[in-house]
Every structure is written in structure tokens, then in C-alpha cells.
Amino acid sequence: MTLDELRKAQAAGNKIVGAAAPAIGHEMEYRPRNGRDPLPWIEKGQVHSWARYRSREVKVAR
């Protein structure tokens, strides 16, 4: 899914989760560090750079 599709799904109340190890199934939040951050998704509750993921590494939870 594209970033826009993920953001729309999140705004609609869907949960975004990790789809790549080691974050498979962990809830994510959209929190870019700057305007063109290549890793805008971060595990919920984390602040470390190792907890950041690309849009292709997250998915909408079913």
C-alpha cells in the first residue's frame, strides 16, 4: 500500500501493524522526523531509530 492509502486507513480507524521482522504484528504510528522521512512509521511507544519502518514494511491489520 502507498503512504496515502495507509494514512487514509489509519484515519478511518484501522490499526496499522508491522509486516517485517522484528515488528510483525506490532502496532505502528505515523510520526515522520521531517518532511521527506524515508522511515515515517515507528512502533507505538518507541523513540529509537531502530524502531522505524518504511511504508512497504507496514500493513493494515485485518
Side-chain angles (χ1 to χ4, degrees):
M1 297 183 88
T2 66
L3 176 61
D4 291 334
E5 292 170 333
L6 288 165
R7 294 286 291 141
K8 286 178 185 174
Q10 189 178 37
N14 294 318
K15 191 163 122 177
I16 307 298
V17 296
I24 295 173
H26 295 188
E27 189 169 359
M28 299 287 182
E29 61 182 299
Y30 181 74
R31 194 171 38 170
R33 294 172 283 195
N34 56 45
R36 296 185 51 112
D37 189 2
L39 304 169
W41 298 95
I42 188 166
E43 287 183 49
K44 198 165 207 163
Q46 292 289 342
V47 294
H48 305 287
S49 61
W50 54 261
R52 296 191 153 280
Y53 295 89
R54 293 173 176 84
S55 292
R56 67 176 179 239
E57 297 171 328
V58 298
K59 65 180 181 178
V60 177
R62 302 278 179 222

